[in-house]
Amino acid sequence: MASFSFGAGNARKLTRIPLYIAGRIATALIPRTRDEWVFGCGAGIGDGALALWDVVAAQGHPAVWLVGSDREARDAAARGIPTLPKHSLQGFWRTARARTVVVTHGFGDANRYAIAGSFIVQLWHGIPLKRIGLDSPETVRSGILPDSTLVRRLLGLLYRRTVRAIDLLPAASHLVRGRLESAFALSEDRVPVVGEPRVDVLSQGTSAQRRVAARERLDAAIGSGGETARFVLYAPTWRDGEPDPAVPTDQEWRRVIEVLERHDAVLLVRSHPLGAGEYLPPLPTERVRTLGSALVSDVTPLLPAMDVLVTDYSSLAFDASLVPLPTLFLAPDVTAYARRRGFYSTYADVAGTDWARDWTGAAEQLDAVLSDDGELERRIGRARELSARVHAFRDGANTERVYRAILVALGDASVRRDDAESETP
Protein backbone atom coordinates (compact mmCIF):
# COMPACT_ATOMS: atom_id res chain seq x y z
CA MET A 1 0.00 0.00 0.00
CA ALA A 2 1.40 3.38 -1.01
CA SER A 3 2.09 5.71 1.89
CA PHE A 4 3.04 8.97 0.20
CA SER A 5 2.47 10.94 -2.97
CA PHE A 6 3.56 14.33 -4.25
CA GLY A 7 -0.05 15.46 -4.33
CA ALA A 8 -0.66 14.69 -0.67
CA GLY A 9 2.72 16.01 0.41
CA ASN A 10 2.29 19.29 -1.45
CA ALA A 11 -1.18 19.74 -0.02
CA ARG A 12 0.30 19.51 3.47
CA LYS A 13 2.97 22.06 2.57
CA LEU A 14 0.35 24.59 1.56
CA THR A 15 -1.37 24.26 4.93
CA ARG A 16 1.96 24.72 6.75
CA ILE A 17 2.88 28.06 5.21
CA PRO A 18 2.22 29.92 8.52
CA LEU A 19 4.66 27.56 10.30
CA TYR A 20 7.35 28.26 7.72
CA ILE A 21 6.86 31.99 8.22
CA ALA A 22 7.07 31.61 12.02
CA GLY A 23 10.24 29.55 11.60
CA ARG A 24 11.80 32.24 9.41
CA ILE A 25 11.16 34.84 12.07
CA ALA A 26 12.56 32.63 14.84
CA THR A 27 15.75 31.71 12.96
CA ALA A 28 16.37 35.37 12.18
CA LEU A 29 16.52 36.02 15.92
CA ILE A 30 18.34 32.88 17.14
CA PRO A 31 22.14 33.14 16.67
CA ARG A 32 23.88 30.18 15.03
CA THR A 33 26.99 28.55 16.44
CA ARG A 34 30.37 28.56 14.72
CA ASP A 35 30.78 24.78 14.41
CA GLU A 36 27.71 22.71 15.20
CA TRP A 37 26.31 20.15 12.77
CA VAL A 38 22.83 18.63 12.51
CA PHE A 39 22.18 15.49 10.47
CA GLY A 40 19.00 13.91 9.17
CA CYS A 41 18.12 11.25 6.60
CA GLY A 42 14.79 10.32 5.08
CA ALA A 43 15.85 6.66 4.90
CA GLY A 44 16.91 6.29 8.54
CA ILE A 45 20.42 5.98 9.95
CA GLY A 46 22.26 5.40 6.72
CA ASP A 47 22.86 6.65 3.20
CA GLY A 48 25.37 9.42 2.54
CA ALA A 49 24.51 11.13 5.81
CA LEU A 50 25.95 8.25 7.82
CA ALA A 51 29.14 8.20 5.76
CA LEU A 52 29.62 11.94 6.29
CA TRP A 53 28.71 11.64 9.98
CA ASP A 54 31.61 9.26 10.54
CA VAL A 55 34.06 11.78 9.06
CA VAL A 56 32.58 14.79 10.87
CA ALA A 57 32.53 12.95 14.21
CA ALA A 58 36.11 11.74 13.73
CA GLN A 59 37.17 15.36 13.23
CA GLY A 60 35.62 16.30 16.56
CA HIS A 61 32.82 18.56 15.36
CA PRO A 62 29.87 18.79 17.76
CA ALA A 63 26.94 17.09 16.00
CA VAL A 64 23.55 15.52 16.60
CA TRP A 65 21.27 13.35 14.46
CA LEU A 66 17.56 14.23 14.31
CA VAL A 67 15.31 11.18 14.26
CA GLY A 68 11.66 10.72 13.40
CA SER A 69 10.95 7.29 14.92
CA ASP A 70 11.89 4.94 17.74
CA ARG A 71 13.50 2.66 15.14
CA GLU A 72 15.85 5.44 14.05
CA ALA A 73 16.67 6.28 17.65
CA ARG A 74 17.57 2.64 18.38
CA ASP A 75 19.67 2.31 15.23
CA ALA A 76 21.55 5.49 16.10
CA ALA A 77 22.10 4.40 19.70
CA ALA A 78 23.59 1.12 18.46
CA ARG A 79 26.22 3.18 16.64
CA GLY A 80 26.79 5.60 19.51
CA ILE A 81 25.21 8.51 17.64
CA PRO A 82 23.52 11.16 19.84
CA THR A 83 19.98 11.98 18.72
CA LEU A 84 17.05 14.29 19.29
CA PRO A 85 13.45 13.99 18.02
CA LYS A 86 13.29 16.19 14.95
CA HIS A 87 9.78 17.48 15.71
CA SER A 88 10.53 18.37 19.34
CA LEU A 89 11.35 21.80 20.74
CA GLN A 90 14.92 20.55 21.24
CA GLY A 91 15.06 19.43 17.61
CA PHE A 92 13.91 22.86 16.49
CA TRP A 93 16.42 24.62 18.76
CA ARG A 94 19.42 22.52 17.71
CA THR A 95 18.55 22.98 14.03
CA ALA A 96 18.09 26.71 14.53
CA ARG A 97 21.50 26.91 16.25
CA ALA A 98 23.45 24.67 13.88
CA ARG A 99 25.91 26.14 11.46
CA THR A 100 25.66 23.17 9.08
CA VAL A 101 22.59 21.03 8.34
CA VAL A 102 23.05 17.79 6.38
CA VAL A 103 20.09 16.07 4.69
CA THR A 104 19.63 13.39 2.03
CA HIS A 105 16.02 13.65 0.85
CA GLY A 106 14.48 16.97 1.83
CA PHE A 107 14.61 19.67 4.46
CA GLY A 108 12.16 17.62 6.52
CA ASP A 109 15.03 15.22 7.28
CA ALA A 110 15.94 17.81 9.92
CA ASN A 111 13.48 20.29 11.46
CA ARG A 112 12.19 21.96 8.31
CA TYR A 113 11.05 25.12 10.12
CA ALA A 114 14.47 25.91 11.59
CA ILE A 115 16.93 25.49 8.72
CA ALA A 116 16.76 29.04 7.31
CA GLY A 117 20.13 30.71 7.67
CA SER A 118 22.15 27.51 8.10
CA PHE A 119 24.65 26.10 5.62
CA ILE A 120 22.58 23.37 3.98
CA VAL A 121 24.29 20.28 2.56
CA GLN A 122 21.89 18.22 0.44
CA LEU A 123 23.58 14.88 -0.26
CA TRP A 124 20.58 13.52 -2.21
CA HIS A 125 19.99 9.78 -2.40
CA GLY A 126 20.99 8.54 -5.81
CA ILE A 127 21.82 9.51 -9.37
CA PRO A 128 18.58 10.49 -11.09
CA LEU A 129 17.37 8.49 -14.07
CA LYS A 130 13.81 9.77 -13.82
CA ARG A 131 13.37 13.53 -13.74
CA ILE A 132 13.32 15.12 -10.30
CA GLY A 133 12.71 18.49 -8.71
CA LEU A 134 11.95 21.36 -11.06
CA ASP A 135 12.48 19.07 -14.07
CA SER A 136 9.47 16.90 -13.18
CA PRO A 137 5.79 17.88 -13.37
CA GLU A 138 5.12 15.58 -10.40
CA THR A 139 6.95 17.96 -8.09
CA VAL A 140 4.15 20.54 -8.33
CA ARG A 141 1.20 18.14 -8.28
CA SER A 142 -1.23 18.92 -5.45
CA GLY A 143 -4.08 17.14 -3.69
CA ILE A 144 -5.67 20.58 -3.17
CA LEU A 145 -7.27 21.82 -6.41
CA PRO A 146 -5.20 19.37 -8.49
CA ASP A 147 -6.32 20.93 -11.79
CA SER A 148 -5.53 24.48 -10.75
CA THR A 149 -2.77 26.15 -12.79
CA LEU A 150 -2.49 28.80 -10.09
CA VAL A 151 -1.80 26.21 -7.37
CA ARG A 152 0.83 24.49 -9.53
CA ARG A 153 2.53 27.81 -10.20
CA LEU A 154 2.50 28.65 -6.50
CA LEU A 155 4.03 25.28 -5.65
CA GLY A 156 6.65 25.78 -8.33
CA LEU A 157 7.60 29.17 -6.93
CA LEU A 158 7.74 27.80 -3.37
CA TYR A 159 9.84 24.82 -4.42
CA ARG A 160 12.28 26.96 -6.41
CA ARG A 161 12.63 29.41 -3.54
CA THR A 162 13.15 26.56 -1.07
CA VAL A 163 15.75 24.52 -2.96
CA ARG A 164 17.80 27.59 -3.79
CA ALA A 165 18.70 27.62 -0.10
CA ILE A 166 20.88 24.54 -0.72
CA ASP A 167 24.49 25.58 -0.32
CA LEU A 168 26.19 22.39 -1.47
CA LEU A 169 24.96 19.35 -3.40
CA PRO A 170 27.77 16.96 -4.40
CA ALA A 171 27.61 15.35 -7.83
CA ALA A 172 28.95 11.96 -8.90
CA SER A 173 30.18 13.27 -12.26
CA HIS A 174 29.89 16.20 -14.64
CA LEU A 175 27.02 14.43 -16.39
CA VAL A 176 25.12 14.16 -13.11
CA ARG A 177 26.06 17.73 -12.13
CA GLY A 178 24.03 19.09 -15.05
CA ARG A 179 20.94 17.18 -13.93
CA LEU A 180 21.21 18.37 -10.35
CA GLU A 181 21.81 21.98 -11.33
CA SER A 182 18.66 21.90 -13.45
CA ALA A 183 16.50 20.01 -10.95
CA PHE A 184 17.37 22.29 -8.02
CA ALA A 185 18.03 25.58 -9.82
CA LEU A 186 21.56 25.75 -8.45
CA SER A 187 24.67 27.38 -9.86
CA GLU A 188 27.67 25.28 -10.80
CA ASP A 189 29.72 26.35 -7.79
CA ARG A 190 27.13 24.80 -5.45
CA VAL A 191 27.27 21.41 -7.21
CA PRO A 192 30.91 20.28 -7.01
CA VAL A 193 31.95 17.06 -8.73
CA VAL A 194 33.34 15.26 -5.69
CA GLY A 195 31.41 11.97 -5.73
CA GLU A 196 28.60 10.56 -3.59
CA PRO A 197 29.42 9.59 0.02
CA ARG A 198 26.64 6.99 -0.05
CA VAL A 199 28.53 4.73 -2.49
CA ASP A 200 31.99 4.78 -0.91
CA VAL A 201 31.10 1.44 0.68
CA LEU A 202 31.03 -0.03 -2.85
CA SER A 203 34.61 1.02 -3.60
CA GLN A 204 36.54 0.58 -0.37
CA GLY A 205 38.69 -2.54 0.09
CA THR A 206 38.83 -5.40 -2.39
CA SER A 207 35.83 -6.85 -4.18
CA ALA A 208 36.23 -10.05 -2.14
CA GLN A 209 36.23 -8.09 1.12
CA ARG A 210 33.14 -6.16 0.08
CA ARG A 211 31.40 -9.40 -0.86
CA VAL A 212 32.13 -11.02 2.49
CA ALA A 213 31.05 -7.94 4.47
CA ALA A 214 27.84 -7.59 2.48
CA ARG A 215 26.96 -11.28 2.85
CA GLU A 216 27.43 -11.00 6.61
CA ARG A 217 25.06 -8.02 6.72
CA LEU A 218 22.53 -9.81 4.55
CA ASP A 219 22.69 -12.94 6.70
CA ALA A 220 22.08 -10.82 9.80
CA ALA A 221 18.99 -9.33 8.14
CA ILE A 222 17.28 -12.38 6.62
CA GLY A 223 19.15 -15.49 7.71
CA SER A 224 21.32 -17.69 5.56
CA GLY A 225 20.25 -18.63 2.07
CA GLY A 226 22.84 -21.38 2.01
CA GLU A 227 26.52 -21.07 1.23
CA THR A 228 26.01 -21.63 -2.48
CA ALA A 229 22.74 -19.71 -2.88
CA ARG A 230 22.66 -16.85 -5.33
CA PHE A 231 20.70 -13.71 -4.51
CA VAL A 232 18.61 -11.73 -6.97
CA LEU A 233 17.53 -8.30 -5.73
CA TYR A 234 14.30 -6.89 -7.15
CA ALA A 235 14.00 -3.17 -6.43
CA PRO A 236 11.22 -1.28 -8.24
CA THR A 237 11.04 2.48 -7.93
CA TRP A 238 8.44 4.69 -6.26
CA ARG A 239 5.40 5.46 -8.41
CA ASP A 240 4.00 8.43 -6.49
CA GLY A 241 1.15 6.55 -4.87
CA GLU A 242 0.17 4.54 -7.95
CA PRO A 243 0.03 0.70 -7.86
CA ASP A 244 3.09 -1.11 -9.17
CA PRO A 245 2.14 -2.53 -12.60
CA ALA A 246 4.94 -5.12 -12.44
CA VAL A 247 3.50 -7.31 -9.66
CA PRO A 248 3.65 -10.85 -11.09
CA THR A 249 0.56 -12.87 -11.98
CA ASP A 250 0.21 -16.33 -10.45
CA GLN A 251 1.52 -17.88 -13.66
CA GLU A 252 4.50 -15.52 -13.70
CA TRP A 253 5.26 -16.29 -10.06
CA ARG A 254 5.42 -20.00 -10.85
CA ARG A 255 7.80 -19.38 -13.74
CA VAL A 256 10.05 -17.17 -11.61
CA ILE A 257 10.14 -19.71 -8.77
CA GLU A 258 10.98 -22.50 -11.21
CA VAL A 259 13.99 -20.50 -12.46
CA LEU A 260 15.09 -19.73 -8.90
CA GLU A 261 14.86 -23.37 -7.82
CA ARG A 262 16.79 -24.59 -10.82
CA HIS A 263 19.67 -22.22 -10.13
CA ASP A 264 19.58 -22.37 -6.31
CA ALA A 265 18.72 -18.67 -6.17
CA VAL A 266 16.66 -16.49 -3.85
CA LEU A 267 14.65 -13.47 -4.98
CA LEU A 268 14.78 -10.61 -2.47
CA VAL A 269 11.92 -8.20 -3.02
CA ARG A 270 12.59 -4.64 -1.94
CA SER A 271 9.56 -2.51 -2.71
CA HIS A 272 10.13 1.22 -2.40
CA PRO A 273 9.52 2.32 1.23
CA LEU A 274 7.10 5.03 0.04
CA GLY A 275 4.98 2.67 -2.03
CA ALA A 276 5.24 -1.04 -1.35
CA GLY A 277 3.60 -3.41 -3.80
CA GLU A 278 1.85 -6.69 -2.98
CA TYR A 279 4.51 -9.25 -3.83
CA LEU A 280 2.95 -12.44 -2.49
CA PRO A 281 3.64 -15.71 -4.34
CA PRO A 282 0.57 -17.95 -4.75
CA LEU A 283 2.37 -20.94 -3.21
CA PRO A 284 4.63 -21.42 -0.18
CA THR A 285 8.29 -20.99 -1.08
CA GLU A 286 11.60 -20.08 0.52
CA ARG A 287 12.82 -18.82 -2.84
CA VAL A 288 11.11 -15.43 -2.45
CA ARG A 289 11.79 -13.23 0.57
CA THR A 290 11.09 -9.66 1.55
CA LEU A 291 13.97 -7.25 2.07
CA GLY A 292 12.02 -4.12 2.92
CA SER A 293 13.16 -1.00 4.71
CA ALA A 294 11.83 -2.42 7.99
CA LEU A 295 14.60 -5.03 7.79
CA VAL A 296 17.32 -2.97 6.10
CA SER A 297 16.98 0.80 5.95
CA ASP A 298 19.90 1.24 3.53
CA VAL A 299 20.33 -1.47 0.92
CA THR A 300 23.37 0.03 -0.82
CA PRO A 301 25.97 -1.70 1.41
CA LEU A 302 24.31 -5.05 0.58
CA LEU A 303 24.76 -4.77 -3.19
CA PRO A 304 28.07 -6.71 -3.25
CA ALA A 305 26.18 -9.65 -1.71
CA MET A 306 23.87 -9.83 -4.72
CA ASP A 307 24.38 -11.76 -7.94
CA VAL A 308 21.76 -10.02 -10.09
CA LEU A 309 19.72 -6.81 -9.83
CA VAL A 310 16.26 -6.45 -11.35
CA THR A 311 14.79 -2.94 -11.43
CA ASP A 312 12.78 -0.52 -13.52
CA TYR A 313 13.68 3.16 -13.09
CA SER A 314 15.51 3.09 -9.78
CA SER A 315 18.81 4.93 -9.26
CA LEU A 316 19.99 1.68 -7.69
CA ALA A 317 21.04 0.65 -11.19
CA PHE A 318 23.76 3.31 -11.08
CA ASP A 319 24.89 2.18 -7.62
CA ALA A 320 25.00 -1.46 -8.74
CA SER A 321 27.18 -0.53 -11.70
CA LEU A 322 30.01 0.13 -9.24
CA VAL A 323 30.00 -3.49 -8.01
CA PRO A 324 29.52 -4.25 -10.98
CA LEU A 325 26.26 -6.22 -10.94
CA PRO A 326 24.52 -7.68 -13.99
CA THR A 327 21.24 -5.75 -14.14
CA LEU A 328 17.95 -6.73 -15.75
CA PHE A 329 15.41 -4.01 -16.46
CA LEU A 330 11.71 -4.79 -16.03
CA ALA A 331 9.50 -1.90 -17.16
CA PRO A 332 5.96 -2.59 -18.38
CA ASP A 333 4.95 1.08 -18.49
CA VAL A 334 7.85 3.00 -20.05
CA THR A 335 5.70 5.17 -22.31
CA ALA A 336 3.24 6.15 -19.59
CA TYR A 337 5.99 6.72 -17.03
CA ALA A 338 7.98 8.87 -19.43
CA ARG A 339 4.91 10.98 -20.14
CA ARG A 340 4.04 11.47 -16.46
CA ARG A 341 7.48 11.66 -14.84
CA GLY A 342 10.03 11.90 -17.64
CA PHE A 343 13.63 10.69 -18.00
CA TYR A 344 16.98 12.37 -18.32
CA SER A 345 18.03 11.41 -21.84
CA THR A 346 16.19 8.21 -22.81
CA TYR A 347 15.40 5.02 -20.95
CA ALA A 348 17.30 3.00 -23.55
CA ASP A 349 20.49 4.92 -22.73
CA VAL A 350 20.56 3.11 -19.39
CA ALA A 351 18.48 -0.03 -19.92
CA GLY A 352 19.43 -0.80 -23.51
CA THR A 353 16.70 -1.83 -25.92
CA ASP A 354 16.10 -5.31 -24.53
CA TRP A 355 14.32 -4.53 -21.27
CA ALA A 356 11.58 -6.95 -20.21
CA ARG A 357 7.94 -5.85 -20.40
CA ASP A 358 6.68 -8.43 -17.91
CA TRP A 359 7.92 -11.09 -15.51
CA THR A 360 7.74 -13.76 -18.20
CA GLY A 361 10.42 -11.90 -20.11
CA ALA A 362 12.35 -11.05 -16.95
CA ALA A 363 12.37 -14.71 -15.89
CA GLU A 364 13.74 -15.71 -19.29
CA GLN A 365 16.53 -13.13 -19.01
CA LEU A 366 17.27 -14.17 -15.43
CA ASP A 367 17.52 -17.79 -16.52
CA ALA A 368 20.05 -16.78 -19.18
CA VAL A 369 22.19 -14.72 -16.78
CA LEU A 370 22.28 -17.52 -14.20
CA SER A 371 23.13 -20.24 -16.72
CA ASP A 372 25.17 -18.60 -19.49
CA ASP A 373 28.60 -17.19 -18.60
CA GLY A 374 28.64 -15.23 -21.85
CA GLU A 375 25.37 -13.49 -21.03
CA LEU A 376 26.58 -12.85 -17.49
CA GLU A 377 29.75 -11.16 -18.76
CA ARG A 378 27.77 -9.13 -21.29
CA ARG A 379 25.58 -7.74 -18.52
CA ILE A 380 28.55 -7.04 -16.28
CA GLY A 381 30.26 -5.25 -19.17
CA ARG A 382 27.18 -3.09 -19.63
CA ALA A 383 27.27 -2.23 -15.93
CA ARG A 384 30.93 -1.19 -16.18
CA GLU A 385 30.13 1.05 -19.16
CA LEU A 386 27.31 2.67 -17.22
CA SER A 387 29.56 3.24 -14.21
CA ALA A 388 32.20 4.90 -16.38
CA ARG A 389 29.58 7.36 -17.64
CA VAL A 390 28.13 8.44 -14.29
CA HIS A 391 30.86 7.93 -11.67
CA ALA A 392 33.90 10.21 -11.88
CA PHE A 393 35.46 8.59 -8.81
CA ARG A 394 35.70 4.94 -7.81
CA ASP A 395 38.32 5.24 -5.06
CA GLY A 396 36.19 5.10 -1.89
CA ALA A 397 37.16 8.69 -0.98
CA ASN A 398 34.02 10.59 -1.97
CA THR A 399 33.11 11.38 1.64
CA GLU A 400 36.47 12.97 2.33
CA ARG A 401 36.15 15.12 -0.79
CA VAL A 402 32.65 16.21 0.20
CA TYR A 403 33.83 17.07 3.71
CA ARG A 404 36.67 19.19 2.33
CA ALA A 405 34.31 20.91 -0.12
CA ILE A 406 32.02 21.85 2.79
CA LEU A 407 34.92 23.32 4.76
CA VAL A 408 36.03 25.34 1.74
CA ALA A 409 32.51 26.69 1.22
CA LEU A 410 32.34 27.57 4.91
CA GLY A 411 35.55 29.54 4.55
CA ASP A 412 37.91 27.25 6.43
CA ALA A 413 41.30 28.66 5.55
CA SER A 414 43.06 25.37 6.33
CA VAL A 415 41.56 23.67 3.26
CA ARG A 416 42.48 24.73 -0.26
CA ARG A 417 39.76 24.84 -2.88
CA ASP A 418 41.79 22.80 -5.37
CA ASP A 419 42.08 20.06 -2.73
CA ALA A 420 38.33 19.97 -2.21
CA GLU A 421 37.28 19.39 -5.81
CA SER A 422 39.23 17.49 -8.42
CA GLU A 423 38.52 17.21 -12.11
CA THR A 424 37.16 13.96 -13.47
CA PRO A 425 40.01 11.40 -13.79
Side-chain angles (χ1 to χ4, degrees), residues 1 71 76 85 129 138 154 172 193 213 236 260 270 272 283 297 308:
M1 181 67 67
R71 159 75 182 277
L129 165 59
E138 289 300 296
L154 174 60
V193 179
L260 295 171
R270 185 176 179 83
H272 194 282
L283 66 162
S297 59
V308 184

Side-chain angles (χ1 to χ4, degrees), residues 164-397:
R164 279 182 172 173
I166 296 171
D167 294 287
L168 190 139
L169 199 169
S173 64
H174 289 281
L175 172 66
V176 177
R177 168 191 260 175
R179 298 177 183 181
L180 297 177
E181 288 173 353
S182 175
F184 296 100
L186 297 175
S187 57
E188 183 176 295
D189 61 301
R190 297 193 184 194
V191 191
V193 179
V194 286
E196 296 179 294
R198 57 189 298 277
V199 298
D200 273 345
V201 68
L202 302 179
S203 301
Q204 294 167 338
T206 67
S207 60
Q209 289 169 337
R210 294 191 293 269
R211 174 84 167 179
V212 169
R215 282 278 176 144
E216 289 176 351
R217 291 182 178 183
L218 181 60
D219 185 64
I222 67 168
S224 175
E227 292 185 2
T228 61
R230 289 186 275 187
F231 289 100
V232 180
L233 177 64
Y234 174 53
T237 195
W238 175 46
R239 295 175 182 275
D240 191 40
E242 296 296 322
D244 188 345
V247 175
T249 64
D250 287 358
Q251 182 177 355
E252 288 172 334
W253 268 126
R254 290 184 170 85
R255 171 57 177 155
V256 170
I257 292 170
E258 185 271 326
V259 170
L260 295 171
E261 288 178 341
R262 186 147 44 83
H263 296 290
D264 190 19
V266 176
L267 178 68
L268 302 175
V269 178
R270 185 176 179 83
S271 296
H272 194 282
L274 293 182
E278 297 296 329
Y279 287 91
L280 299 175
L283 66 162
T285 178
E286 290 295 316
R287 294 294 174 180
V288 180
R289 304 188 193 180
T290 298
L291 188 67
S293 57
L295 284 175
V296 177
S297 59
D298 184 3
V299 75
T300 305
L302 298 185
L303 289 178
M306 307 302 168
D307 297 277
V308 184
L309 170 67
V310 182
T311 189
D312 45 16
Y313 319 117
S314 173
S315 62
L316 208 60
F318 297 114
D319 303 338
S321 71
L322 279 169
V323 175
L325 271 182
T327 299
L328 311 181
F329 291 89
L330 168 58
D333 59 341
V334 171
T335 302
Y337 196 86
R339 182 172 58 250
R340 179 174 175 127
R341 187 65 184 262
F343 299 110
Y344 290 103
S345 190
T346 67
Y347 187 55
D349 284 340
V350 173
T353 58
D354 58 348
W355 70 82
R357 272 66 176 182
D358 53 35
W359 271 103
T360 299
E364 181 178 345
Q365 292 186 10
L366 179 61
D367 192 15
V369 170
L370 294 177
S371 61
D372 184 340
D373 288 343
E375 177 63 9
L376 174 65
E377 288 304 316
R378 185 181 77 85
R379 296 276 181 174
I380 290 176
R382 180 186 286 182
R384 289 196 178 100
E385 291 173 2
L386 180 61
S387 180
R389 284 160 47 195
V390 298
H391 295 288
F393 304 98
R394 292 174 289 278
D395 58 1

Side-chain angles (χ1 to χ4, degrees), residues 32-40 48-49 51-57 59-66 81-84 91 94-103 110 118-121 123 168 399-400 402-410 412:
R32 293 194 177 272
T33 63
R34 296 186 60 185
D35 187 33
E36 186 168 324
W37 297 57
V38 160
F39 284 75
L52 184 57
W53 170 277
D54 289 339
V55 172
V56 168
Q59 294 298 321
H61 299 282
V64 67
W65 196 297
L66 299 188
I81 298 175
T83 63
L84 287 173
R94 290 294 291 271
T95 306
R97 291 278 289 158
R99 183 191 191 192
T100 307
V101 175
V102 179
V103 297
S118 65
F119 184 90
I120 300 173
V121 179
L123 298 177
L168 190 139
T399 309
E400 291 287 347
V402 170
Y403 173 67
R404 293 197 299 271
I406 294 170
L407 295 187
V408 166
L410 288 171
D412 190 324

